[in-house]
Amino acid sequence: GWSPGPQLQLPASWDMIEPAIPMPPCGLRWCCNPFLVALVLVPCVAGHLLGSSGPAVQVFGWLLAAALMRLLVAGVVYFSIQVGVRIAAAECKAAKPDLVVGFSWGGCVAAYGAAQHQWAPPTILLAPTVHAVMRISLVGFPQVPSTVQVFHASNDGFCPRTQVAAFEKLGCTVHELPDEDHILCRQGTVRQIVAAAEHAAVGHGLDNPVE
């Protein structure tokens, strides 16, 4: 994501592995996206085809192009989510972690991965940007297992409180954090995250948590 969030404050004794999950629009890896290529081509093709058309045809054509481009934007984000899920699932298969922790965009990717049952270890979502991604990608809320735990800040501009009700409806434990923001870096918050992680990983040894 844009920030490591509470990751840097987690116990140094934890053997953490961070999958290289691309996040639009950061870096260049996420650009390897067929929907992005199509998104760039549509206005070029539309301009070429409609250039000599009458005004009415041009208006109608550009409206269709705009609608198609909106769907392609959704495709860009959806494809990025699925790429992230595949990367995280492959890392879990190789590392066999005791716990999966996702923050912000990573939390959103982890939510969809957990909903697809891509890994067995317990999953903790830290300020997952599910609502924002849903709005752009036009996909439904991830039907995560009830074993998933969620940390949600009261002053999070990226994660509206409607997510709390949605996760609770699925039976998830939601830790609401008053006077906390999206980064989740207050000492009390980090202590709660560590306690929840250690409790969730009982029986797994907590040797290789993946974030």
Side-chain angles (χ1 to χ4, degrees):
W2 296 98
S3 162
Q7 174 185 349
L8 299 180
Q9 299 188 45
L10 296 178
S13 59
W14 288 8
D15 182 13
M16 291 191 291
I17 302 168
E18 185 173 1
I21 296 175
M23 182 192 78
C26 295
L28 296 175
R29 290 186 61 219
W30 76 275
C31 294
C32 299
N33 188 317
F35 291 95
L36 181 63
V37 175
L39 182 62
V40 173
L41 290 177
V42 164
C44 299
V45 173
H48 176 72
L49 295 177
L50 299 172
S52 58
S53 303
V57 174
Q58 286 196 17
V59 170
F60 182 71
W62 280 113
L63 286 175
L64 285 179
L68 178 57
M69 289 173 69
R70 174 62 186 92
L71 293 176
L72 289 173
V73 168
V76 167
V77 178
Y78 178 77
F79 185 84
S80 297
I81 294 171
Q82 296 308 315
V83 168
V85 168
R86 288 197 297 271
I87 292 173
E91 195 71 64
C92 286
K93 184 177 180 180
K96 296 179 173 54
D98 303 304
L99 183 68
V100 176
V101 181
F103 167 68
S104 193
W105 167 261
C108 179
V109 170
Y112 283 97
Q116 296 171 23
H117 305 286
Q118 292 287 342
W119 47 75
T123 301
I124 294 180
L125 309 178
L126 307 178
T129 53
V130 172
H131 185 270
V133 170
M134 284 174 55
R135 188 174 65 249
I136 300 172
S137 65
L138 306 178
V139 297
F141 196 87
Q143 302 299 295
V144 301
S146 59
T147 53
V148 169
Q149 295 191 58
V150 184
F151 282 79
H152 198 285
S154 61
N155 298 324
D156 192 334
F158 299 98
C159 303
R161 200 181 180 285
T162 51
Q163 291 189 169
V164 173
F167 279 116
E168 288 180 337
K169 186 176 180 179
L170 295 171
C172 301
T173 299
V174 180
H175 306 270
E176 294 193 70
L177 307 166
D179 302 321
E180 179 63 281
D181 58 22
H182 185 67
I183 304 302
L184 304 180
C185 280
R186 293 175 182 266
Q187 289 187 355
T189 298
V190 175
R191 284 196 294 269
Q192 288 186 56
I193 293 171
V194 170
E198 291 177 342
H199 183 267
V202 167
H204 292 271
L206 198 61
D207 294 325
N208 302 296
V210 169
E211 177 151 15

